[in-house]
Amino acid sequence: MARKGEASAPPYGEPRKFDPKFRGPIHNRHCTDVICCVIFIVVILGYIALGIVAWVHGDPRKVIYPTDSYGQFCGQKDTFNENKTILFYFNILKCASPVVLINLQCPTTQLCVSKCPDRFATYIDVQASYRYRPDQWNYFKQYCKPGFNNPRKSVAQVLRDEDCPSMIIPSRPFLKRCFPDFSTKNGVLTVANQTTFKDGRGKTRNVTDLREAANGINNVLDARSVGMKIFEDYAISWYWILIGLFIAMIVSLLFLVLLRFTAGVLFWIFIFGVIGIIGYGTWHCYWEYDHLKGIPGSDLTVYDIGFQTDFRVYLQLRQTWLAFMIILCVVEIIIILMLIFLRNRIRIAIALLKEGSRAIGYIMSTLFYPIVTFILIAICISYWAVTAVFLATSGEPVYKVMANQTLCKYANLTCDPETFNTTNVTKLCPGAQCTFAFYGGESLYHKYIFIFQLANAFVFLWLVNFAIALGQCTLAGAFASYYWASRKPADIPLWPLFSSFGRAIRYHTGSLAFGALILAIVQLIRVVLEYLDHKLKGTQNSFTRFLLCCLKCCFWCLEKFLKFINRNAYIMIAIYGKNFCTSAKEAFFLLMRNVVRVAVLDKVTDFLLFLGKILVAGGVGVLAFFFFTQRIPVFAQEAPALNYYWVPLLTVIIGSYLVAHGFFSVYAMCVDTLFLCFYSEALPLRDRD
């Protein structure tokens, strides 16, 4: 029943008769998909609880600060390591690469030190000379285990117990870890200008043994230097970048306004341009075909010469140009026939584009709604990232037995460093140590960390899709209020965007959450498939890889289809206020019964908006190029001196494209909404042509 003062909405799909008091079906609302709404709210509360629990148990310092073999942070205040901020590796050769050193535990003793070594030295040499050169021992022992001060202990026992490193080499701190101080001299890799070093075990080794680590470190250091220069460029050019993005915004607005008058002209210019280009291509193929007449070897077929790696050989055959000419002729005929038979639908599409520009002109606030969606998604990403970090750093230090003997049955078993020396492990496995391995635990919470991370990712995808759905439904409701206004702009609500947002939140949170849930499930499956594909890349099972490839392709197609259905379902929800399933069904059948019109409208809209994005990004990019390269005489003195002019230039181009995409996505939503409003009003759901 309609409320007092409102006209009742006729059955869906029937033509509406004019009624001065009629404001369209968007005002007849009731709550939809209530159960899903309740579940969604409960999940959000659970997500908040998960974040709180992760915050209580997690410690991001485990990511920021390096940890020694005893599970203690380097540089942590009020501890023994307060002044020891750098991690030192006893034998860096045991570590495969810097990536392993940063992310995993290297199978060697690790200590916190105040500074990295600045010289070559071995324990054998230091022990032999400590009596008459005690300064060398005093320097070397700071890289031994805390409290060790027994240079008389045999070298074999020291190396077995890993009381001291067998060698130290000149290093420098990077990411709070000591890495060899690599450099190149005349193209030769060196450490402190030396190409060889003693490994402390009686061997002289070449610095190239550390090449893998050196390459990784030098690349990262070079990237760090470039990063600093890029940061400097941003610091002195941010003002001009903002001006460029503001210009992009103005140009985007002007393009949308001009579409009201130029949509048809732009489309037909492009179509006739394509026809002309294909026609020229056909003529050129015929000219090449006729030009090769009589030339020896040109009458051979592709089958005669077989496969050739030099594709220019095929261009010397008349058969090749004949095939090209036939293909272009077929394409030309298809385009012309499509234009002839689809001319009416193209005119409708162009009319909707013009009407969309007029609608945005009346509701300019919709152009800035993408900022709200961006903020909501940014909040979701931030909360997910922080929760993931705290979950990853939840746990207590876990210690494991590290033995030099591969046959030690206690190897990799958990241990307690405080009681380890009282056990018989050291007797059965000489040289075994109880060292820090990772952060974890045996409690119920720690056992389900992976499940919590999976839940964190799933709810994140759900919330992001909900934010996008809320934006689409809000914009659709605003543009539907424009369409159903009998007298424009008098009958358009005072705050159409705000009213539409309120309706979507108040009545349709459950429906939007339902659609977002379906999409999030598919996306999570795709994430799992990508993870499995990454893990199985090294396998030789062709069937498994083929099956994964097929599944990835199928779920990619399914995700694209669901996004299309959800978008149109949200529009129908904004118009008629029905639940998600009903709206998705009616939108699907409405689109399928007008599939040709949908295809034409979609492609015409995509082309014009893509043309607008390229125009905005390209035009502003060219202007930025001339400005930052000081080629505009009037502003030559104003242009900042940059290390890399491409840094602000690429930022302006990419930013301009994103700005244009934000504005034009609103325009595309407007056109789709008007399309569904038009066909759902003008034609009944059944018996559509």
Side-chain angles (χ1 to χ4, degrees):
M1 294 294 292
R3 290 177 293 181
K4 185 177 180 179
E6 289 187 358
S8 60
Y12 172 78
E14 294 185 6
R16 272 78 176 167
K17 297 181 180 180
F18 177 73
D19 184 349
K21 298 181 180 181
F22 183 62
R23 290 292 184 268
I26 59 175
H27 289 275
N28 299 322
R29 299 281 127 176
H30 61 85
C31 294
T32 56
D33 296 306
V34 178
I35 296 178
C36 192
C37 178
V38 173
I39 295 175
F40 184 60
I41 294 174
V42 171
V43 168
I44 291 178
L45 295 177
Y47 195 35
I48 296 173
L50 176 62
I52 295 174
V53 173
W55 181 78
V56 171
H57 290 84
D59 190 351
R61 293 178 302 174
K62 298 171 185 176
V63 176
I64 301 173
Y65 297 104
T67 308
D68 64 12
S69 295
Y70 306 99
Q72 298 175 343
F73 298 126
C74 296
Q76 184 178 3
K77 292 184 178 181
D78 301 325
T79 65
F80 177 77
N81 293 329
E82 181 175 2
N83 297 321
K84 300 179 178 180
T85 59
I86 307 171
L87 191 67
F88 170 74
Y89 297 90
F90 268 31
N91 188 356
I92 198 171
L93 294 174
K94 291 185 178 180
C95 309
S97 69
V99 176
V100 174
L101 297 179
I102 295 169
N103 295 296
L104 302 175
Q105 288 297 323
C106 183
T108 187
T109 301
Q110 304 162 37
L111 292 178
C112 297
V113 296
S114 57
K115 61 179 181 179
C116 295
D118 59 4
R119 67 191 72 172
F120 285 104
T122 65
Y123 182 79
I124 296 176
D125 295 338
V126 170
Q127 186 191 49
S129 62
Y130 83 94
R131 291 183 178 178
Y132 55 89
R133 297 195 63 180
D135 57 312
Q136 290 190 357
W137 169 249
N138 291 332
Y139 179 83
F140 193 91
K141 72 177 183 180
Q142 64 181 318
Y143 301 105
C144 298
K145 287 183 177 179
F148 181 79
N149 191 17
N150 184 15
R152 295 182 180 86
K153 189 174 181 179
S154 67
V155 174
Q157 291 178 334
V158 169
L159 298 182
R160 182 197 64 189
D161 299 337
E162 293 201 1
D163 294 321
C164 291
S166 62
M167 63 174 179
I168 58 173
I169 57 178
S171 306
R172 56 180 172 179
F174 177 69
L175 298 177
K176 297 185 178 181
R177 290 147 171 95
C178 290
F179 290 111
D181 189 8
F182 294 102
S183 61
T184 54
K185 186 176 182 179
N186 298 326
V188 179
L189 186 67
T190 65
V191 173
N193 295 323
Q194 296 189 26
T195 58
T196 60
F197 64 95
K198 296 179 180 180
D199 66 355
R201 300 177 184 270
K203 295 182 180 179
T204 300
R205 306 183 66 164
N206 198 294
V207 172
T208 54
D209 291 341
L210 301 171
R211 182 179 298 276
E212 185 178 354
N215 289 339
I217 294 170
N218 287 334
N219 290 338
V220 174
L221 291 175
D222 291 342
R224 186 181 183 184
S225 176
V226 172
M228 291 299 297
K229 292 181 179 179
I230 291 175
F231 179 79
E232 293 174 358
D233 289 343
Y234 277 125
I236 62 177
S237 63
W238 66 269
Y239 179 77
W240 297 105
I241 292 175
L242 292 180
I243 292 178
L245 297 181
F246 178 77
I247 294 174
M249 183 182 72
I250 299 300
V251 174
S252 300
L253 290 173
L254 291 176
F255 184 83
L256 291 179
V257 172
L258 291 176
L259 275 181
R260 183 189 303 183
F261 311 101
T262 61
V265 175
L266 288 175
F267 177 79
W268 289 114
I269 288 176
F270 170 77
I271 289 298
F272 286 118
V274 170
I275 293 175
I277 292 173
I278 295 177
Y280 171 78
T282 304
W283 173 84
H284 181 77
C285 291
Y286 174 78
W287 184 86
E288 290 285 355
Y289 175 79
D290 185 69
H291 180 71
L292 291 173
K293 185 177 182 179
I295 297 178
S298 63
D299 291 325
L300 294 174
T301 64
V302 176
Y303 179 79
D304 293 333
I305 65 174
F307 176 76
Q308 301 291 328
T309 56
D310 187 0
F311 292 99
R312 290 176 295 181
V313 174
Y314 298 106
L315 299 180
Q316 307 302 319
L317 304 179
R318 299 185 72 203
Q319 187 186 61
T320 302
W321 293 105
L322 178 62
F324 285 161
M325 182 174 63
I326 293 173
I327 293 173
L328 290 177
C329 285
V330 171
V331 173
E332 185 91 329
I333 293 172
I334 291 175
I335 293 177
I336 293 175
L337 290 177
M338 288 178 63
L339 290 176
I340 293 174
F341 289 104
L342 299 177
R343 62 187 185 278
N344 291 329
R345 290 172 173 82
I346 292 175
R347 280 201 295 266
I348 293 175
I350 293 175
L352 281 172
L353 289 172
K354 294 179 179 179
E355 190 65 23
S357 180
R358 187 176 295 109
I360 290 178
Y362 285 123
I363 315 176
M364 292 292 290
S365 59
T366 55
L367 292 174
F368 300 97
Y369 185 83
I371 298 176
V372 177
T373 302
F374 173 79
I375 293 174
L376 292 176
I377 293 177
I379 293 173
C380 294
I381 293 174
S382 301
Y383 189 86
W384 164 79
V386 172
T387 303
V389 170
F390 273 91
L391 283 173
T393 57
S394 296
E396 301 298 328
V398 175
Y399 301 87
K400 289 193 174 184
V401 177
M402 183 166 54
N404 295 326
Q405 298 178 5
T406 57
L407 299 178
C408 178
K409 64 179 181 179
Y410 296 102
N412 294 324
L413 295 180
T414 57
C415 57
D416 185 352
E418 296 182 358
T419 61
F420 181 74
N421 292 330
T422 62
T423 63
N424 61 347
V425 177
T426 54
K427 297 178 181 179
L428 298 175
C429 302
Q433 300 180 49
C434 184
T435 59
F436 169 77
F438 55 86
Y439 289 98
E442 300 298 329
S443 67
L444 187 65
Y445 169 77
H446 296 107
K447 288 181 179 179
Y448 289 96
I449 288 291
F450 178 76
I451 301 298
F452 292 149
Q453 287 283 23
L454 205 61
N456 182 33
F458 174 70
V459 180
F460 162 71
L461 293 174
W462 194 358
L463 291 175
V464 168
N465 285 304
F466 177 81
I468 295 173
L470 178 61
Q472 292 176 342
C473 188
T474 299
L475 292 173
F479 293 126
S481 65
Y482 163 84
Y483 180 86
W484 296 106
S486 301
R487 296 169 298 172
K488 301 175 177 63
D491 290 339
I492 299 177
L494 183 61
W495 303 102
L497 185 66
F498 181 78
S499 300
S500 178
F501 181 83
R503 287 194 300 271
I505 291 292
R506 179 180 177 183
Y507 297 107
H508 307 303
T509 297
S511 297
L512 301 181
F514 189 18
L517 173 63
I518 298 172
L519 195 56
I521 292 174
V522 174
Q523 290 173 340
L524 184 65
I525 295 174
R526 289 195 62 204
V527 171
V528 173
L529 290 176
E530 290 291 343
Y531 174 79
L532 292 176
D533 183 54
H534 177 73
K535 287 295 183 182
L536 298 176
K537 271 186 178 179
T539 63
Q540 302 299 323
N541 193 328
S542 301
F543 176 76
T544 303
R545 286 181 293 166
F546 172 76
L547 182 62
L548 273 177
C549 184
C550 291
L551 288 174
K552 287 167 59 180
C553 180
C554 291
F555 277 97
W556 179 85
C557 295
L558 179 60
E559 181 184 356
K560 295 297 181 183
F561 174 75
L562 287 176
K563 284 183 176 179
F564 174 77
I565 291 297
N566 283 11
R567 177 185 176 91
N568 291 282
Y570 299 147
I571 295 175
M572 299 300 283
I573 290 172
I575 299 173
Y576 295 103
K578 298 184 180 182
N579 61 48
F580 176 80
C581 292
T582 302
S583 299
K585 181 189 69 175
E586 293 180 348
F588 177 77
F589 284 113
L590 181 61
L591 294 173
M592 289 302 100
R593 293 174 188 274
N594 297 274
V595 63
V596 178
R597 296 184 180 95
V598 173
V600 172
L601 176 65
D602 186 59
K603 295 308 172 186
V604 171
T605 305
D606 286 347
F607 161 69
L608 290 178
L609 296 186
F610 176 75
L611 184 66
K613 294 174 187 177
I614 297 300
L615 177 65
V616 173
V620 177
V622 170
L623 181 63
F625 172 78
F626 283 107
F627 174 77
F628 288 117
T629 55
Q630 300 180 352
R631 299 187 183 185
I632 302 179
V634 179
F635 298 102
Q637 300 298 325
E638 300 293 335
L642 302 169
N643 296 303
Y644 309 110
Y645 74 85
W646 52 265
V647 171
L649 176 61
L650 286 180
T651 304
V652 169
I653 293 175
I654 296 174
S656 299
Y657 184 87
L658 293 177
V659 168
H661 177 74
F663 283 118
F664 296 165
S665 64
V666 174
Y667 185 82
M669 195 69 195
C670 176
V671 173
D672 290 344
T673 302
L674 297 180
F675 175 85
L676 288 180
C677 287
F678 174 74
Y679 280 105
S680 65
E681 179 197 25
L683 299 172
L685 184 60
R686 299 177 299 275
D687 302 327
R688 297 178 189 268
D689 57 355

